[in-house]
Amino acid sequence: MTTTTPAAAVTKAVGTAHTRVEGVAKVTGAARYAGEVPYPELAHGWMALSTVARGRIRSVQDARVLEMPGVVAVLHHGNAPRVDGNYAGPFGPPDPILQPLQHDRVPYVGWPVALVVAETSEQAREAAEALVVEYDVEPHDVEFHAGHPDAYLPEGPTTEMSKGDLEAELAASAVVVDAEYSTPEEHHSPMEPHAATARWEDGRLEVVDSNQGSRFVADELAHIFSLDPGSVRLLSEHVGGAFGAKGTRPHLVLAAMAATVLHRPVRVVTTRRQMFSLTGYRSPTAQRVRLGADADGRLRALDHQGECLTSTNHEFVERSADYGRSMYDADAHHTVNRVVRLDVPTPTYMRAPGEAPGSFAMESALDELAEKCGLDPIVLRTRNEPDAGPLSGLPFSSRNVLACFEEGARRFGWADRDPRPGVRREGRWLLGTGTAAATFPVLVAPSTAAVTAEADGTFTVRITAADVGTGARTALTLVAADALEVAPERIRVRIADSDFGQAILAGGSMGTRSWSWAIVAAAADLRERLALADGIPPEGITARSNTAEAIGRLTSKERYSFGAQFAEVAVDVTTGEVRVRRMLGMFAAGRIVNPLTARSQFVGGMVWGLSMALHEEAVRDRATGGHVGADFASYHFAANADVPVIEADWVDDPDPDDPVGIKGIGEIGIVGAAAAIANAVWHATGVRHRHLPIRPDRVLMAGRDA
């Protein structure tokens, strides 16, 4: 009889560093990504995208293209299969881009207008680039700016929230900050481009895709093609980065369309340039922050107003003004998010949506308030630490932001900081340090899992999780090992197969938390069954769980991860170059399952925050409506030479209501990082930068104007 190992004989796996269980497969090339899985008779699709920002397709001249070598089909609105967009997914109605080639309307540059399918990808690309599409062009508007006259208030109970008399409290405040901040359009740009291969197999549509939730995507495909959910299978075993971009995307729908028409497997891989218009991005934001405080820095009024853009055919709101709702209390508290419809692609979730741009504005404004009050920035934040949710009044499950500041300040050497700006200098370099808080909500969603005790003494876990590079597969292995009280080497975790059942996608920092909950529940059931079993049959013994009921019993609390970001910068007075010399992030983000991959997640987020502060900025040409340089030559981001030594660590902060104590760490590393760097630039130069990125030309111009 095979049983679990007694608890005393097994060292706890959760909390100890483990290398990735799939690491060897990845570094040796054995791990296959969505664009690499071989299929016999595979055809290749290449998307042709619109070159106008608004109008109608007059004609698709495909006759000559169909005669080109290797071309087997050209799909466009005149001949493509009809699909259904009349459904509501888990996040509401779908973006109309998921019903491509259905009509002649063009809502923005980069809208799919045709799919050319050929025997090789090279033939498909050459033919797609030769395809002539004629348009009837209409006037367009792609220009986003603060105070846009067409900004409106989206529907929803939390779009605008307030308490108290804002104007009265501002008028009664001894110190007031009233400033405008902006962040530009930013793109996910994961290392692995989006790719999908679709085929029909035994009456089922089978798709290998790079995504963040195979069951979610499979269900959307079933809606789109009017199929029974059981008739669609989605596989996404290895994903080379996602950050919010890898949900259901048009390349996937087009691959399935072509496979249906041609009765053979079809692969569609996006180019880097195509990703700029097809896979979502972070909307630019224009934010106004008004803070009113007593002379001692206690907040009387907090007003955060955010504006963002969305497309004309689908609404997505970058909720930058939500950031302060959990962080700071005031007698009068007002936050609102507004949106403008423009002739641009629809934005989407991007690492720490809302919190990343919102923290830049709010944490910069708090630094300005600290300066006006003559207070240390950490002291100011300490004086405004709430006892309960500032708007909800609910207790916090745990709130260790001050512990992060205390330990971070000690490690960073904050006590030795001269608060005066512009006084530290090394040759042509001005030096400064800055700090900012970080927060991100703790989320969890029902998921299902199956755990099987195999006859050979191992255990197999099946769950429709997604490892988008975070190390989730390894973390789940450790969680399962502890739940079963066996060594991790006896655990095999299988993920990213929609046939494994419903499970939340990888997003909102809730993936590992939600999946672990389901695995722990299934493991507990399995252990009870094993205790009663007389041996394990060849097919094993399987226990399944569904955590919907358990999660539904969660008590009402404010649940957040927190952090404190620290940065030191050097600013070249002759060129305007800003160099980050060191960064430190201290986080309170629940029980850390795998310190090795967790630290990588925190550091990766902080690197992105550095990139956000100094480099990233997508620019649109108002005349054409398209990007100026949708490539990595023009879209700048932090490279190795830009990144200093970055230290990330955490304080003990398990969630008491989670079976493992997990909160979630994927998003919070980026939150507050850009503000800490911007605050450090002020400390170095005495000049505030309220508009990202802090480019050398802006530094020089601000220096001349100061």
Side-chain angles (χ1 to χ4, degrees), residues 310-333:
T310 191
S311 67
T312 58
N313 59 0
H314 190 69
E315 182 181 271
F316 180 87
V317 183
E318 182 72 23
R319 301 174 63 98
S320 58
D322 288 11
Y323 172 80
R325 294 176 180 175
S326 64
M327 283 300 294
Y328 304 109
D329 202 358
D331 298 317
H333 202 291

Side-chain angles (χ1 to χ4, degrees), residues 404-405 407-413 434-436 564-568 580 582-587 606 645-650 673 676:
C404 293
F405 272 114
E407 179 61 16
R410 184 189 68 79
R411 296 192 190 189
F412 197 73
T435 190
Q565 302 269 15
F566 296 84
E568 180 179 42
V580 178
R582 60 189 176 113
M583 293 182 74
L584 166 67
M586 289 297 303
F587 302 97
M606 294 169 71
V645 173
I646 294 179
E647 182 183 0
D649 212 337
W650 46 86

Side-chain angles (χ1 to χ4, degrees), residues 529-568:
R529 296 189 185 193
L530 289 174
L532 300 174
D534 184 19
I536 298 177
E539 69 274 15
I541 298 176
T542 298
R544 302 181 185 276
S545 69
N546 185 329
T547 59
E549 184 177 348
I551 289 172
R553 291 197 300 263
L554 282 176
T555 56
S556 293
K557 296 179 182 178
E558 292 264 358
R559 300 179 188 276
Y560 288 87
S561 293
F562 295 98
Q565 302 269 15
F566 296 84
E568 180 179 42

Side-chain angles (χ1 to χ4, degrees), residues 88-394:
F91 301 107
D95 188 332
I97 199 172
L98 298 186
Q99 297 94 54
L101 313 185
Q102 300 299 290
H103 52 73
D104 63 353
R105 286 232 41 104
V106 173
Y108 49 77
V109 171
W111 177 265
V113 295
L115 180 75
V116 177
V117 186
E119 298 294 343
T120 70
S121 61
E122 293 83 3
Q123 290 170 331
R125 179 171 190 168
E126 182 181 8
E129 292 176 349
L131 184 67
V132 175
V133 181
E134 295 184 331
Y135 305 91
D136 292 323
V137 181
E138 301 170 4
H140 66 266
D141 180 10
V142 299
E143 189 173 6
F144 174 78
H145 56 80
H148 196 289
D150 295 332
Y152 68 93
L153 192 67
E155 294 183 4
T158 62
T159 298
E160 183 170 19
M161 299 181 71
S162 63
K163 71 174 185 179
D165 189 331
L166 182 69
E167 298 303 328
E169 294 295 342
L170 283 169
S173 296
V175 182
V176 174
V177 169
D178 185 347
E180 294 186 354
Y181 305 84
S182 69
T183 60
E185 178 181 322
E186 300 164 354
H187 287 259
H188 308 75
S189 302
M191 185 179 296
E192 178 205 16
H194 293 61
T197 306
R199 66 169 180 169
W200 286 91
E201 183 75 9
D202 297 328
R204 299 182 77 195
L205 177 62
E206 182 178 287
V207 183
V208 177
D209 182 41
S210 179
N211 65 56
Q212 294 174 236
S214 295
R215 186 66 256 168
F216 274 70
V217 176
D219 287 346
E220 279 213 277
L221 278 181
H223 283 300
I224 292 168
F225 288 97
S226 301
L227 298 170
D228 181 273
S231 297
V232 182
R233 185 186 187 192
L234 238 295
L235 303 168
S236 188
E237 185 176 3
H238 297 290
V239 180
F243 313 116
K246 287 184 175 174
T248 312
R249 295 298 177 193
H251 72 285
L252 167 65
V253 179
L254 290 168
M257 269 188 188
T260 301
V261 170
L262 298 174
H263 306 290
R264 61 187 290 190
V266 177
R267 174 171 296 156
V268 180
V269 180
T270 61
T271 66
R272 189 65 62 184
R273 180 175 292 274
Q274 289 173 342
M275 288 167 61
F276 275 77
S277 66
L278 293 177
T279 61
Y281 57 97
R282 197 193 306 280
S283 166
T285 69
Q287 303 176 59
R288 184 186 183 190
V289 178
R290 294 189 293 171
L291 302 175
D294 293 333
D296 64 357
R298 189 187 69 84
L299 285 170
R300 298 178 66 106
L302 184 153
D303 179 34
H304 191 175
Q305 302 179 41
E307 292 183 10
C308 66
L309 61 73
T310 191
S311 67
T312 58
N313 59 0
H314 190 69
E315 182 181 271
F316 180 87
V317 183
E318 182 72 23
R319 301 174 63 98
S320 58
D322 288 11
Y323 172 80
R325 294 176 180 175
S326 64
M327 283 300 294
Y328 304 109
D329 202 358
D331 298 317
H333 202 291
H334 175 251
T335 54
V336 61
N337 295 285
R338 298 184 179 90
V339 66
V340 179
R341 292 190 183 277
L342 296 172
D343 300 311
V344 297
T346 308
T348 193
Y349 303 97
M350 182 165 162
R351 198 173 197 171
E355 276 75 13
S359 64
F360 166 66
M362 181 58 68
E363 294 296 324
S364 295
L366 281 162
D367 206 68
E368 297 195 42
L369 182 65
E371 176 197 354
K372 286 192 171 187
C373 292
L375 293 173
D376 180 272
I378 298 178
V379 172
L380 177 76
R381 288 167 172 82
T382 302
R383 290 184 182 176
N384 287 287
E385 181 68 0
D387 296 324
L391 292 172
S392 69
L394 295 173

Side-chain angles (χ1 to χ4, degrees), residues 40 43 155 159 239 256 267 279 291 297 408 444 498-499 503 513 540 543 576 581 608 625 635 677 696:
E155 294 183 4
T159 298
V239 180
R267 174 171 296 156
T279 61
L291 302 175
V444 65
S498 63
D499 279 358
R513 173 176 160 97
R581 288 195 167 184
W608 201 337
Y635 182 76
I677 292 170

